[in-house]
Amino acid sequence: MKSKNHHQPTPVCNGNTSESSSPSPPPSPRRHSAVPHCRRLLRSKTFSQSRRESSVAGIIIRRGLRYFLLLPLFYISGLLMCVGPFSGLVWQAPLPGSVYRSHEIFEKLWHEIESDNSSAIELSSVWRYNRRLKEQKPCPNTSYRHHFATKRESPDPSGYLIVEANGGLNQQRSSICNAVAVAGLLNAILVIPHLDFHSVWVDPSEFGDIYDEDHFITTLKGFVEVVQELPEVVMERYDYNITNIPNIRIEAWAPVSYYLEEVYPVLRKQGVIRIAPFANRLAMNVPPRVQFLRCLANNVALRFSFPVSTLARKLVKRMIEKSSRTGGKYVSVHLRFEEDMVAFSCCLYDGGKAENFEMDLVREKGWRGKFRRKDRLIQPGLNRINGKCPLTPLEVGMMLRGMGFDNNTSIYLASGKIYQAERHLDPLLKMFPLLYTKESLATSDELAPFKGYSSRLAALDYTVCLFSEVFVTTQGGNFPHFLMGHRRFLFGGHAKTIQPDKRKLVILLQDMDISWKAFKNEMESMLIESDRKGMNVPRIKKSRRKSSIYTYPLPECRSCTDRFTSSPPWAIMDLHRIVSVIRQCGRFRAFRHGRSLHAHIIKLGVFNDVFFANNLLAMYVDISLLKDARRLFDETLERNVATWTTMISAYSSSGRPDTALKFYVQMLESKSETPNGFLYSAVLKACGLVGDLESGKLIHGRVFRANLGFDTVLMNTLLDMYVKCGSLSSARKVFDDILCPSSTSWNTMISGYGKEGLMEEAVNLFYQMPEPDTVSWNSIIAGFGCKESLGALRFVCMMHRKGLKLDGFTFSCALKTCGCFQLLVMVKQIHCYVNKSGFGSCCFTASALVDSYSNCNELDEAIKMFDEYSCCSASILDCLPLWNSMLSGYVVNEQNSAAINLVSQIHSLGAHVDSFTFGSALKVCINLQNFRLGLQVQGLAVTSGYELDYVVGSILIDLYANDGKIKDALRLFYRLPEKDIVVWSSLISWCTKMGLNSLVFSLFRDMVNLDIEVDQFIISSVLKACSSLVGLGSGKQVHSFCVKSGYESERITVTSLIDLYAKCGEIEDGLALFYCTSERDTVCYTGIIMGCGQNGRAMEAVGFFQEMIELGLKPNEITFLGVLSACRHAGLVEEAWTIFKYMKTEYKMEPHIEHYYCIVELLSQAGCFKEAEELIAEMPFEPDQTIWNSLLGACGTHKKTELVNFIAERLLTTLPEDPSILVTLSNVYATLEMWDDSRKMREVIKKVGMKEAGKSWIQIKS
């Protein structure tokens, strides 16, 4: 019962009620009814009285029949004592169940209740009654609108029907459904009903505030015409005042004949009629065609408005989140223990005289003396016995605990302001701490627009109760009356509702001797009975005209199957059988039979029927005859949503999602149909395949406005679209808004995170999933596998320990991870597990095994596996992945000849190779430096259609660039239709290596302008180009871009930046960057050491070298070269000699020629020629030009004439015509004043030719 007055909120439950019916005072028994009451009192006895009277009866029988003559006298005396002048002197024992003692029972049994959680019932197993409903049939879809017809005098509308839907939310809903049925019956145009609420339950909402007006009109289109307001001409006739239209008074529960005989003539005469009020103005038992309209309005057309449904969805989702202990399932209770309802029921509880006085005041205020009439007698005890008293929160709690619901059960309380809430709700909170209401779930800001609108608040309660696993009704009324029917409609005919036997319950709760065990037994029986009744579907008969068709909607909707009553002659055929044959033709790809059936349908003249056309269309799609399906679609005169959906799905599934999107746009432009959830699912699938995020967002907006958020399948498709388009933030919002996410919802979101490498988010979501399945585990394992993380193996082990069966996908991911980390022992263990599990014959598992053995450098074992499985397979076409894995194994292990032989074998066997095969073959050509062979492989790729594949294309670019043909590489690059980051990175890297720095900058700008993701490796290549050009300005711009992109902390980027600043002479910036780096590795230290050496900071270079040694970092050859070079520039002989020896003794590294060059030059410049000569003699290889040149320059400085002649002899013997050597010798001779020798060198230089003059360039800022 809704409360008109908006009381101050209580700590637990406040606000308006969920009930929406307008009560009227119950017919109280007249005063002369005390006689039958006294008769019932005399018949009511306790157990001990029964035994005593049984003994007396036996004595009487034994004494003789004469004693029976006294019985009438005793009976009459009893009546006189009860109703006569002596009645006040007689003490009357209270009838069983007439006195409220529940609070005393609770106090007595509380300790047993509190400690009894041993037999808690699981919410998922409450409903076990599975009796099949023979009468249950679904309502028809809109494909049969043209079959619905009534016998009317004229096809034109008879006039306008105006009704006032009075009462609360659900009584008003009943009026609206009846109005639709009457409008269809009378061929009238229905004006959107006006909501006229009872004076006690005032709510100023209009129809559009509570229901979706556009959806209501659109759904009924073709059945009943609905308009928002009367035409101007009609309004002018009645002075623009609807109340001036004569109101027709209709008797309650009027039959169809009354409307046809009495109301229809008036409508035809006046053109407009008004019926107010309209509650219960149509009989329950009506013809099927009228019943169909009532079903259509209630189950399809009436949908809550956008503001109501949006907040309702949030409340349901929050309730599910708070019910994590019970797998997201919760119990909803429609509690009627409100002040006005307690007063209306005329019941007394434990408040004594004060409560009675208070209830009298409430009754007087709300019903103005109706309860004080002389002919009415208020008897609270009889009301309680007859089950008319609202159950208290305490009684509801004891009932639920007795049925087995424990204190971990989440309870949603749908109620208004509870009578004396703090006192009465306290026991319920003790029994069920997880108690929630709309006020506790929603924020004050969210509820603010609903305050003062009792029907809108009732709609919120209605929705939350609708999606609960268990619904508990505690009192009659329209709220449970509609809700139970709606739940039957959603849950396959089962109301999933606890309907307590209140007459039995009040007797149990008055028995002070009852034990908790006995009470539980009774409650468990009551739950079983509710389970059985949940599937009961009684027929609606004339004698039961007040029974609700809405409580039992499914069997009554069987009237919809009568839609072919006035069908053409061909309808006599078994339509279901025809459709079944069409579908079988599609399933078994029986093309000829399908064509024959198509021709037969055309001959029958029913080809234009949209139902048959849609099934024929689906048949052609199943057979993959898309052209025939398109031709049929174009020839179809009548189309509905199913027609468009079939075509859109067909094009999406056949790899033409762009065409599917064009069909969707065409349908919207035609404005012929309103899209439904199935069509939106098909279009969203196409958007995901194309990657059209913008179109997907537009469709999401339409879905949102259509209030289709309850369609979990549609939400899963929307979720998948966002994941495929890479918009994980939008996907997560959709996931969070799904009221009851299925396993598909969870797995799609987890897989999306995994594919993007966001494993922390994926794992967190995985642990939140109520019951992860094999797909969930595999999604996590695949995500870690893509990141080459050991987390994949950790989850495989966890999956195995939990007893879940590993499948081929699990094995493949686990083996891939083992191969990455070369975990040979683990590979062998998994191999053994594969054989024991029966997956040994699986091609993909065998491919993974070959791949993992190859990556573990166990090529022989891989070859053995390959030979074993390839012999078992009938054809290479069935196991091409296995051959590709073997080919990859040869490439990884640098067995290039074997790889070429395998490629040749694959080609000779006539296999249709894929991009992976071509990619591996091209890699072999690059390894062999065989460009000609690479061109042959490219020819095969061209003829197979793989040349412009982005994988094959990227390796072809490497092939051309590796051979120095950068122009051909660029030409191929610009031809590729799809260029991923690997292709861009490869080309930029090759351009950097070849010194094409301008081209590097051009490609980098193209990537930025095209909004292509730039990774740290590309940035490193661009920075290297800046270093080569000593372009500080460009380098700083790239540094800024690096910071904005979030790559400033990447090690490879930091090293490249330090190198840039060092080469540009900005060593201070390089040092600052180095000091700001939190994680410094060997590469980073090497970069700063070389930078300091290049900028004359040798001691700092040595200091950094010692620092990294102290930190335990292992220097490499380049690190030693950098620090030795720094010592060479600064003349640090001792430091360099120590570091040089340290290289060989501590790190067992053999110095290269560059390292010897640094030491030789350092020793010779210091005048230590003897040590230098000894070092050269100890070198493991012959000294080259660089070594002799370093020694030659120092000889001139230190006047070592003999050594100069020795070096000159060695150099001229090996390189007699090298201009650089001749010039160096000439200069050294001149330094030593050996003029003749210097002149001879210059004469030789003139004959040989001068070396090309050096060049330098600077960048000028404009």
Side-chain angles (χ1 to χ4, degrees):
M1 187 70 64
K2 286 197 207 29
S3 175
K4 171 185 175 183
N5 302 321
H6 304 294
H7 305 282
Q8 293 297 323
T10 63
V12 177
C13 183
N14 53 19
N16 294 308
T17 183
S18 313
E19 178 54 62
S20 40
S21 62
S22 299
S24 57
S28 303
R30 309 298 181 188
R31 290 192 180 275
H32 61 265
S33 65
V35 175
H37 162 62
C38 199
R39 288 171 182 170
R40 286 193 298 271
L41 178 63
L42 289 174
R43 290 198 299 267
S44 177
K45 304 175 181 65
T46 62
F47 180 70
S48 58
Q49 288 173 327
S50 299
R51 292 188 61 183
R52 188 163 52 251
E53 291 181 2
S54 298
S55 302
V56 173
I59 295 171
I60 292 175
I61 292 173
R62 288 193 297 270
R63 295 278 180 122
L65 295 176
R66 63 183 180 276
Y67 291 101
F68 280 105
L69 297 175
L70 299 176
L71 291 179
L73 296 177
F74 286 119
Y75 181 70
I76 295 172
S77 301
L79 291 179
L80 290 174
M81 295 295 289
C82 288
V83 299
F86 304 103
S87 60
L89 302 177
V90 178
W91 175 80
Q92 300 180 11
L95 299 177
S98 62
V99 179
Y100 178 77
R101 304 186 69 177
S102 304
H103 58 298
E104 298 176 22
I105 300 287
F106 175 73
E107 292 296 332
K108 173 190 171 186
L109 300 177
W110 168 237
H111 293 295
E112 293 183 61
I113 297 173
E114 186 178 21
S115 60
D116 183 18
N117 278 320
S118 57
S119 58
I121 189 171
E122 293 185 9
L123 285 179
S124 58
S125 62
V126 173
W127 311 113
R128 302 177 181 178
Y129 194 71
N130 294 320
R131 182 174 67 88
R132 186 173 181 180
L133 299 178
K134 296 181 180 179
E135 301 179 15
Q136 176 179 335
K137 293 184 179 180
C139 286
N141 56 38
T142 55
S143 302
Y144 299 96
R145 291 182 178 182
H146 62 285
H147 294 297
F148 181 82
T150 56
K151 297 178 181 179
R152 304 180 178 113
E153 296 176 2
S154 170
D156 297 327
S158 307
Y160 292 91
L161 173 63
I162 304 172
V163 301
E164 291 185 1
N166 58 306
L169 175 70
N170 292 290
Q171 183 175 339
Q172 161 203 88
R173 188 185 185 103
S174 174
S175 300
I176 295 170
C177 296
N178 286 338
V180 171
V182 170
L185 176 69
L186 303 179
N187 192 24
I189 300 174
L190 177 65
V191 181
I192 288 288
H194 173 65
L195 309 185
D196 182 23
F197 287 80
H198 192 278
S199 58
V200 178
W201 324 115
V202 175
D203 185 326
S205 299
E206 296 295 334
F207 185 94
D209 297 326
I210 300 174
Y211 298 103
D212 188 335
E213 200 168 278
D214 293 334
H215 178 76
F216 182 75
I217 296 173
T218 304
T219 304
L220 294 176
K221 184 180 179 181
F223 297 103
V224 173
E225 184 178 354
V226 183
V227 296
Q228 293 179 324
E229 56 186 14
L230 287 171
E232 182 76 14
V233 178
V234 179
M235 292 298 295
E236 184 179 2
R237 189 196 316 167
Y238 293 98
D239 297 330
Y240 297 95
N241 189 350
I242 291 181
T243 57
N244 292 335
I245 300 174
N247 183 28
I248 299 180
R249 285 294 197 183
I250 306 293
E251 63 180 8
W253 315 107
V256 168
S257 58
Y258 179 86
Y259 282 96
L260 293 175
E261 296 169 5
E262 303 293 335
V263 180
Y264 182 71
V266 178
L267 176 64
R268 294 288 295 175
K269 180 179 180 181
Q270 297 182 180
V272 58
I273 59 174
R274 181 169 67 93
I275 305 177
F278 197 68
N280 303 326
R281 290 301 181 267
L282 181 62
M284 288 294 176
N285 190 21
V286 295
R289 58 192 179 89
V290 180
Q291 191 72 290
F292 165 71
L293 291 176
R294 212 153 38 179
C295 289
L296 179 67
N298 181 53
N299 294 329
V300 185
L302 282 177
R303 185 172 67 186
F304 289 131
S305 63
F306 177 75
V308 174
S309 60
T310 301
L311 181 55
R313 284 199 304 270
K314 292 181 180 178
L315 297 185
V316 173
K317 181 169 181 57
R318 291 168 190 172
M319 197 65 208
I320 292 172
E321 291 173 351
K322 293 182 180 295
S323 308
S324 58
R325 299 182 185 178
T326 52
K329 301 180 184 297
Y330 60 94
V331 176
S332 62
V333 179
H334 182 225
L335 189 64
R336 303 304 313 278
F337 197 71
E338 299 129 346
E339 183 182 79
D340 50 7
M341 192 62 198
V342 173
F344 175 72
S345 64
C346 304
C347 296
L348 288 178
Y349 295 92
D350 57 343
K353 293 183 179 179
E355 178 187 312
N356 194 15
F357 179 75
E358 184 180 0
M359 292 298 101
D360 285 340
L361 293 178
V362 174
R363 282 189 284 269
E364 183 64 24
K365 179 181 178 181
W367 289 275
R368 300 174 184 174
K370 290 183 180 180
F371 287 87
R372 291 188 292 102
R373 292 188 308 202
K374 294 181 179 180
D375 58 342
R376 292 193 181 274
L377 180 65
I378 298 176
Q379 292 185 309
L382 285 181
N383 287 345
R384 182 169 174 81
I385 291 172
N386 293 328
K388 296 180 179 179
C389 294
L391 292 181
T392 65
L394 181 149
E395 291 171 328
V396 172
M398 289 188 66
M399 177 185 71
L400 291 177
R401 288 300 291 267
M403 289 178 176
F405 300 97
D406 63 6
N407 55 10
N408 289 318
T409 305
S410 297
I411 304 288
Y412 179 82
L413 213 57
S415 177
K417 180 177 173 58
I418 301 297
Y419 174 55
Q420 296 185 2
E422 185 174 356
R423 180 167 66 92
H424 285 116
L425 282 177
D426 183 62
L428 181 59
L429 278 169
K430 289 174 68 176
M431 289 181 278
F432 294 99
L434 304 178
L435 185 67
Y436 305 98
T437 64
K438 54 181 172 293
E439 289 79 13
S440 62
L441 291 175
T443 64
S444 56
D445 292 337
E446 289 174 328
L447 280 179
F450 294 80
K451 292 296 184 182
Y453 300 96
S454 54
S455 288
R456 301 187 207 179
L457 289 167
L460 298 179
D461 280 337
Y462 185 95
T463 306
V464 182
C465 291
L466 180 64
F467 290 96
S468 62
E469 180 65 18
V470 177
F471 172 63
V472 182
T473 173
T474 62
Q475 190 77 356
N478 285 318
F479 186 97
H481 154 90
F482 269 89
L483 190 68
M484 288 172 63
H486 204 160
R487 288 170 66 84
R488 289 181 191 274
F489 192 78
L490 288 179
F491 302 131
H494 201 305
K496 292 189 175 184
T497 301
I498 295 176
Q499 303 177 64
D501 185 348
K502 294 169 66 175
R503 297 186 180 188
K504 180 178 182 180
L505 191 62
V506 296
I507 294 175
L508 294 173
L509 291 175
Q510 188 179 329
D511 185 2
M512 293 299 296
D513 296 327
I514 195 169
S515 66
W516 175 240
K517 183 177 180 181
F519 184 79
K520 279 192 65 175
N521 291 335
E522 295 292 343
M523 293 302 99
E524 289 169 358
S525 300
M526 196 176 293
L527 177 61
I528 294 172
E529 181 64 14
S530 293
D531 191 9
R532 187 188 66 81
K533 286 183 178 179
M535 294 293 285
N536 260 349
V537 186
R539 293 177 177 272
I540 305 298
K541 299 180 181 178
K542 291 182 180 180
S543 59
R544 300 178 61 216
R545 67 177 186 179
K546 292 186 180 181
S547 298
S548 170
I549 62 163
Y550 305 108
T551 304
Y552 304 99
L554 293 176
E556 287 302 317
C557 284
R558 70 183 187 277
S559 59
C560 304
T561 59
D562 296 334
R563 52 187 172 267
F564 293 110
T565 303
S566 56
S567 302
W570 54 265
I572 300 173
M573 300 172 62
D574 189 347
L575 302 180
H576 292 287
R577 186 172 181 181
I578 293 176
V579 172
S580 176
V581 173
I582 293 174
R583 291 173 179 170
Q584 291 295 331
C585 289
R587 185 175 303 150
F588 295 103
R589 304 178 70 84
F591 169 66
R592 292 182 179 179
H593 293 85
R595 276 283 179 90
S596 300
L597 193 58
H598 187 175
H600 186 64
I601 290 174
I602 293 175
K603 290 178 182 179
L604 288 173
V606 296
F607 170 70
N608 290 326
D609 180 73
V610 68
F611 181 66
F612 285 104
N614 287 346
N615 280 279
L616 285 170
L617 201 63
M619 178 195 71
Y620 284 122
V621 170
D622 291 339
I623 304 175
S624 302
L625 297 174
L626 205 54
K627 290 184 179 179
D628 295 88
R630 177 61 185 269
R631 190 181 301 113
L632 176 61
F633 175 83
D634 294 336
E635 294 172 356
T636 304
L637 299 178
E638 184 180 356
R639 302 167 183 162
N640 60 10
V641 178
T643 316
W644 292 95
T645 303
T646 303
M647 289 305 298
I648 292 171
S649 298
Y651 278 109
S652 295
S653 301
S654 61
R656 297 171 60 184
D658 51 342
T659 308
L661 292 177
K662 291 178 182 177
F663 263 83
Y664 171 68
V665 173
Q666 181 183 345
M667 192 206 73
L668 292 182
E669 291 174 349
S670 67
K671 298 181 180 179
S672 57
E673 296 293 336
T674 302
N676 59 14
F678 296 102
L679 186 135
Y680 282 132
S681 294
V683 180
L684 287 168
K685 180 183 177 182
C687 291
L689 293 173
V690 175
D692 190 349
L693 182 60
E694 293 303 320
S695 297
K697 286 183 176 180
L698 292 175
I699 296 169
H700 185 183
R702 285 178 167 272
V703 170
F704 190 66
R705 290 189 293 273
N707 290 338
L708 295 174
F710 290 118
D711 189 343
T712 305
V713 176
L714 175 58
M715 292 297 102
N716 289 343
T717 311
L718 181 62
L719 185 66
D720 184 62
M721 183 274 298
Y722 277 124
V723 168
K724 287 180 178 176
C725 292
S727 181
L728 286 182
S729 57
S730 301
R732 186 56 190 261
K733 290 179 182 177
V734 173
F735 176 79
D736 291 338
D737 289 338
I738 298 177
L739 292 175
C740 301
S742 63
S743 59
T744 304
S745 313
W746 289 92
N747 293 336
T748 303
M749 196 68 241
I750 291 170
S751 178
Y753 280 133
K755 289 177 181 177
E756 293 295 324
L758 303 174
M759 293 312 301
E760 183 177 354
E761 291 82 352
V763 171
N764 289 338
L765 198 62
F766 174 81
Y767 284 126
Q768 295 175 30
M769 189 174 180
E771 295 180 2
D773 54 14
T774 304
V775 178
S776 315
W777 286 90
N778 283 341
S779 298
I780 290 290
I781 293 168
F784 279 116
C786 291
K787 291 193 69 177
E788 297 183 357
S789 169
L790 288 173
L793 296 179
R794 178 163 52 86
F795 271 85
V796 169
C797 294
M798 290 169 58
M799 187 176 178
H800 176 61
R801 291 193 194 102
K802 288 183 177 292
L804 297 173
K805 186 176 181 181
L806 310 185
D807 56 15
F809 188 88
T810 317
F811 292 133
S812 299
C813 294
L815 289 168
K816 177 184 176 182
T817 306
C818 293
C820 292
F821 291 93
Q822 296 187 344
L823 304 174
L824 181 59
V825 175
M826 182 70 76
V827 171
K828 291 182 177 180
Q829 291 177 355
I830 296 175
H831 188 180
C832 181
Y833 192 102
V834 167
N835 291 332
K836 290 181 178 179
S837 303
F839 284 92
S841 59
C842 176
C843 176
F844 293 100
T845 308
S847 302
L849 282 168
V850 170
D851 192 54
S852 57
Y853 277 123
S854 300
N855 290 330
C856 292
N857 300 322
E858 289 289 330
L859 191 59
D860 293 337
E861 192 66 30
I863 294 172
K864 180 181 176 182
M865 291 287 302
F866 171 75
D867 293 338
E868 179 182 343
Y869 285 100
S870 59
C871 292
C872 297
S873 56
S875 171
I876 187 176
L877 299 175
D878 300 330
C879 57
L880 183 61
L882 177 63
W883 289 71
N884 284 338
S885 295
M886 192 66 253
L887 179 59
S888 175
Y890 283 134
V891 175
V892 169
N893 290 274
E894 299 181 357
Q895 298 294 319
N896 298 310
S897 299
I900 288 295
N901 292 334
L902 189 62
V903 171
S904 177
Q905 187 178 356
I906 293 173
H907 178 63
S908 63
L909 290 173
H912 183 72
V913 297
D914 56 14
S915 58
F916 191 92
T917 315
F918 284 119
S920 298
L922 288 169
K923 288 179 181 178
V924 173
C925 299
I926 295 173
N927 293 341
L928 294 174
Q929 299 289 313
N930 194 333
F931 182 69
R932 183 179 178 182
L933 184 61
L935 290 178
Q936 294 178 14
V937 176
Q938 184 185 7
L940 288 175
V942 170
T943 57
S944 302
Y946 281 100
E947 181 194 20
L948 300 182
D949 179 82
Y950 70 96
V951 175
V952 177
S954 64
I955 302 176
L956 278 171
I957 289 172
D958 286 341
L959 176 71
Y960 280 107
N962 185 61
D963 200 55
K965 295 178 174 58
I966 194 65
K967 290 185 179 180
D968 294 330
L970 282 169
R971 194 178 298 113
L972 178 60
F973 172 80
Y974 287 119
R975 286 178 57 206
L976 293 178
E978 294 182 18
K979 305 179 185 71
D980 63 358
I981 192 172
V982 177
V983 181
W984 287 90
S985 179
S986 176
L987 186 60
I988 289 175
S989 176
W990 278 110
C991 291
T992 304
K993 290 178 182 178
M994 301 177 72
L996 302 174
N997 300 314
S998 299
L999 185 56
V1000 170
F1001 291 134
S1002 176
L1003 291 170
F1004 178 67
R1005 280 193 296 269
D1006 290 342
M1007 289 190 72
V1008 175
N1009 293 334
L1010 293 173
D1011 198 23
I1012 299 173
E1013 183 184 0
V1014 179
D1015 63 10
Q1016 65 269 34
F1017 302 104
I1018 294 177
I1019 291 176
S1020 176
S1021 297
V1022 176
L1023 288 171
K1024 186 176 181 181
C1026 295
S1027 302
S1028 302
L1029 295 173
V1030 198
L1032 183 60
S1034 301
K1036 287 186 175 180
Q1037 291 179 10
V1038 177
H1039 188 181
S1040 175
F1041 178 85
C1042 177
V1043 173
K1044 291 179 181 179
S1045 304
Y1047 293 121
E1048 73 276 9
S1049 59
E1050 292 288 341
R1051 295 176 182 176
I1052 187 172
T1053 310
V1054 171
T1055 306
S1056 299
L1057 284 168
I1058 292 173
D1059 182 62
L1060 167 73
Y1061 287 120
K1063 288 183 178 178
C1064 292
E1066 298 290 336
I1067 188 60
E1068 293 296 337
D1069 291 337
L1071 286 169
L1073 187 62
F1074 175 81
Y1075 288 129
C1076 292
T1077 304
S1078 57
E1079 296 182 5
R1080 304 166 189 161
D1081 58 0
T1082 301
V1083 178
C1084 186
Y1085 270 99
T1086 301
I1088 196 64
I1089 288 170
M1090 296 188 72
C1092 289
Q1094 291 166 0
N1095 287 270
R1097 299 196 177 192
M1099 293 305 299
E1100 291 183 61
V1102 174
F1104 283 124
F1105 179 80
Q1106 293 174 347
E1107 181 180 324
M1108 71 176 292
I1109 296 298
E1110 293 172 358
L1111 291 174
L1113 296 175
K1114 182 180 179 181
N1116 54 30
E1117 290 86 349
I1118 301 176
T1119 313
F1120 280 107
L1121 181 61
V1123 70
L1124 291 175
S1125 180
C1127 294
R1128 177 173 63 89
H1129 290 305
L1132 303 176
V1133 180
E1134 293 182 5
E1135 290 82 352
W1137 186 251
T1138 303
I1139 293 172
F1140 183 76
K1141 290 191 296 182
Y1142 196 71
M1143 180 180 181
K1144 293 198 295 185
T1145 57
E1146 293 294 329
Y1147 290 98
K1148 310 301 180 184
M1149 292 183 184
E1150 192 61 37
H1152 295 174
I1153 190 71
E1154 294 83 4
H1155 302 98
Y1156 281 103
Y1157 163 71
C1158 293
I1159 298 298
V1160 169
E1161 183 173 358
L1162 191 59
L1163 292 173
S1164 59
Q1165 291 293 341
C1168 302
F1169 289 97
K1170 183 179 180 181
E1171 290 81 357
E1173 291 177 16
E1174 291 176 354
L1175 183 62
I1176 292 173
E1178 294 174 359
M1179 284 172 52
F1181 32 73
E1182 289 294 325
D1184 63 356
Q1185 174 190 349
T1186 308
I1187 295 292
W1188 293 123
N1189 274 339
S1190 64
L1191 197 57
L1192 184 61
C1195 288
T1197 305
H1198 293 278
K1199 309 296 182 180
K1200 294 289 186 178
T1201 306
E1202 295 178 0
L1203 190 55
V1204 168
N1205 292 330
F1206 173 77
I1207 296 172
E1209 182 181 350
R1210 297 295 299 269
L1211 286 174
L1212 292 175
T1213 302
T1214 55
L1215 299 168
E1217 296 182 354
D1218 189 337
S1220 62
I1221 294 175
L1222 296 173
V1223 171
T1224 304
L1225 282 172
S1226 175
N1227 293 335
V1228 171
Y1229 286 141
T1231 303
L1232 296 174
E1233 298 180 357
M1234 299 169 65
W1235 305 114
D1236 292 337
D1237 294 324
S1238 178
R1239 179 176 51 80
K1240 291 177 182 179
M1241 289 298 107
R1242 292 192 177 274
E1243 288 176 357
V1244 176
I1245 291 171
K1246 288 178 182 180
K1247 292 179 182 180
V1248 175
M1250 293 289 293
K1251 70 173 184 178
E1252 186 179 353
K1255 297 177 182 178
S1256 63
W1257 63 284
I1258 60 172
Q1259 183 176 0
I1260 302 174
K1261 294 183 180 179
S1262 57

